């Protein structure tokens, strides 16, 4: 049976006040005492009374998310992986999520209501857009926040964690160019999202360095599902001058692209090269494809955990973390990339 605060304090030989302060991160509690309290919490299964804790600290111990919901907006396996990382870290600190669904054109009002409610201590943003209007809204509200990604344009003085998507796809395209590929297709995420724009920019920068012009007909934007990957790759292969290589913004898109390539009777790594961005989705490992995929790798789950760590540390006044973090994706070369045909 789980113990209450009084019983936990008696077990430890400490006052209830000291135990409560250790749990709530007060700096006057020394590290050894805090360790003893946390060890006892894990052993006994103690869970604090949230109502009493909120009265004592003024904190809700919750992180908020506004999720746009509307017909035509598909669920996203990538965002689920990000939330799993955030949830794992939140669970370690007994924090909760408050998810507020919102119509896409009502997000500003939803953020204002969420901030005013007192039900969350901080919020995070995702799916960043060009000149994202949510940034100035949150900067005007008295609630901490961290952004997953970065807007393009607009203010830059806000806390974020992002992958260097421009560099990732520049590196990927450069590898293909070094292998002799000049016609490189791009199966990208939605055009209104900032990460998609930056990945396209990375490809364009690499082509410009090699003095090559990119054919806009070789760029497709879509939601990141295997069906759209399949349709895009089919369309590219039906052209009179098909690409000899393709960049995919997700291993999910690559799954469909590979299906189309196989149906066309082409051999990946010999007739056409494929590189995908790997978000480290546990059910879709690039090394398990029929031809292991070359990837740019950065874990969405790790990003979710890091954002939770930063938000919770800010709420509890623990630790000092950088305001802005830009992670570099790792280029992992496997069998799906080879020299351009005829080289």
């Amino acid at each position: 049976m789980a113990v209450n605060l009084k019983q936990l304090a008696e077990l430890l030989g400490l006052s209830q006040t000291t135990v409560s302060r250790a749990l709530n991160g007060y700096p006057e509690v020394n590290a050894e005492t805090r360790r003893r309290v946390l060890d006892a919490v894990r052993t006994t299964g103690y869970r604090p009374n949230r109502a009493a804790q909120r009265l004592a600290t003024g904190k809700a111990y919750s992180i908020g998310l506004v999720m746009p919901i509307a017909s035509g907006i598909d669920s996203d396996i990538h965002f689920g992986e990000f939330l799993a990382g955030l949830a794992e870290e939140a669970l370690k600190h007994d924090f909760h999520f408050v998810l507020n669904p919102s119509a896409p054109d009502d997000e500003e009002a939803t953020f204002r209501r969420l901030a005013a409610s007192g039900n969350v201590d901080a919020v995070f943003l995702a799916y960043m857009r060009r000149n994202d209007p949510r940034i100035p809204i949150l900067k005007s509200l008295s609630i901490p926040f961290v952004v997953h990604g970065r807007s393009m344009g607009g203010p830059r003085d806000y806390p974020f964690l992002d992958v260097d998507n421009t560099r990732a796809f520049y590196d990927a395209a450069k590898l293909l160019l070094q292998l002799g590929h000049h016609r490189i297709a791009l199966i990208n995420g939605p055009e209104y999202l900032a990460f998609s724009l930056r990945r396209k920019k990375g490809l364009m920068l690499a082509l410009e360095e090699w003095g090559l012009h990119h054919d806009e007909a070789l760029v497709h934007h879509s939601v990141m599902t295997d069906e759209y990957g399949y349709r895009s790759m089919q369309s590219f292969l039906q052209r009179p001058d098909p690409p000899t290589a393709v960049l995919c913004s997700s291993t999910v898109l690559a799954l469909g692209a590979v299906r189309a390539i196989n149906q066309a009777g082409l051999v990946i790594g010999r007739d056409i090269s494929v590189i995908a961005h790997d978000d480290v989705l546990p059910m879709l490992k690039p090394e398990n494809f029929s031809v292991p995929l070359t990837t740019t790798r950065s874990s969405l789950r790790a990003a979710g955990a890091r954002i939770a760590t930063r938000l919770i540390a800010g709420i509890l006044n623990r630790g000092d973390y950088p305001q802005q973090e830009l992670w570099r994706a790792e280029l992992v070369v496997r069998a799906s990339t080879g020299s351009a045909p005829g080289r």
Side-chain angles (χ1 to χ4, degrees):
M1 182 180 295
V3 300
N4 59 31
L5 179 62
K6 181 180 179 181
Q7 292 167 326
L8 183 65
E10 289 174 351
L11 178 68
L12 290 164
L14 300 170
S15 70
Q16 292 184 50
T17 300
T18 298
V19 172
S20 178
R21 291 187 172 191
L23 291 171
N24 292 313
Y26 281 77
E28 58 265 31
V29 179
N30 66 52
E32 176 58 24
T33 299
R34 181 174 288 109
R35 184 194 62 76
R36 284 185 59 213
V37 171
L38 294 176
D39 285 347
V41 165
R42 283 189 285 270
T43 301
T44 62
Y46 169 76
R47 286 291 180 269
N49 183 312
R50 280 300 186 207
Q53 201 171 37
R54 183 168 180 172
L55 285 172
T57 65
K59 294 182 172 66
Y61 296 89
S62 296
I63 297 169
L65 162 68
V66 173
M67 181 174 288
I69 299 293
S71 60
I73 295 181
D74 297 319
S75 60
D76 184 358
I77 188 175
H78 306 87
F79 192 55
E81 183 67 10
F82 172 83
L83 285 181
L86 200 150
E88 287 173 357
E89 190 62 27
L91 186 63
K92 294 176 186 177
H93 301 275
D94 202 19
F95 266 67
H96 300 152
F97 283 150
V98 175
L99 269 64
N100 276 49
S102 172
D105 58 357
D106 193 42
E107 283 186 275
E108 177 178 351
T110 305
F111 272 117
R112 294 190 186 280
R113 288 193 298 269
L114 187 59
S117 71
N119 292 328
V120 299
D121 302 302
V123 299
F124 71 93
L125 291 183
Y127 295 114
M128 300 308 296
R129 312 154 195 162
R130 187 190 296 275
N131 296 310
D132 200 306
R134 297 172 297 172
I135 296 293
I137 291 167
L138 281 176
K139 286 171 65 68
S140 72
L141 300 175
S142 57
I143 187 168
F145 69 95
V146 175
V147 174
H148 180 221
R150 289 169 293 158
S151 180
M152 294 187 74
R156 298 183 180 180
D157 56 337
Y158 56 87
F160 68 77
L161 183 151
D162 195 12
V163 175
D164 191 344
N165 287 295
T166 302
R167 181 61 183 264
F169 272 47
Y170 168 85
D171 288 343
K174 185 176 178 181
L175 171 63
L176 293 171
L177 290 163
Q178 289 169 340
L179 290 168
H181 297 277
H182 290 175
R183 290 188 57 74
I184 303 171
L186 173 62
I187 305 177
N188 208 355
E191 193 168 13
Y192 67 91
L193 293 178
F195 81 84
S196 298
L197 297 170
R198 287 193 167 94
R199 289 176 184 177
K200 180 179 177 181
K201 179 181 177 183
L203 169 60
M204 298 307 176
L205 287 173
L207 289 169
E208 287 173 9
E209 280 192 6
W210 285 67
L212 298 172
H213 170 73
H214 193 266
D215 184 351
E216 280 294 326
L218 293 181
V219 178
H220 281 190
H221 293 274
S222 69
V223 295
M224 295 199 294
T225 67
D226 64 328
E227 181 61 26
Y228 280 101
Y230 175 76
R231 292 180 192 176
S232 293
M233 196 70 243
Q234 268 196 326
S235 173
F236 292 147
L237 294 177
Q238 289 167 0
R239 293 178 58 83
D241 50 354
T244 63
V246 60
L247 295 174
C248 298
S249 261
S250 166
T251 50
V252 180
L253 286 168
L255 189 65
V258 166
R259 183 156 52 100
I261 291 168
N262 289 338
Q263 286 182 4
L266 301 175
V267 176
I268 293 172
R270 186 192 71 187
D271 303 319
I272 186 168
S273 290
V274 179
I275 300 179
H277 183 71
D278 177 20
D279 294 299
V280 195
L281 303 176
M283 75 295 294
L284 195 58
K285 298 180 182 295
E287 61 270 26
N288 291 341
F289 276 63
S290 55
V291 177
L293 289 182
T294 295
T295 58
T296 56
R297 181 170 63 190
S298 183
S299 169
L300 272 175
R301 187 172 292 228
R306 178 64 173 184
I307 285 179
T309 296
R310 286 176 52 179
L311 287 170
I312 292 168
I315 293 165
L316 299 180
N317 297 313
R318 296 179 187 169
D320 186 20
Y321 293 89
Q323 280 285 96
Q324 300 181 335
E325 296 180 86
L326 189 62
W327 289 0
R328 182 168 179 176
E330 178 187 6
L331 180 62
V332 183
V333 179
R334 298 186 180 94
S336 68
T337 42
S339 297
R343 187 181 183 189

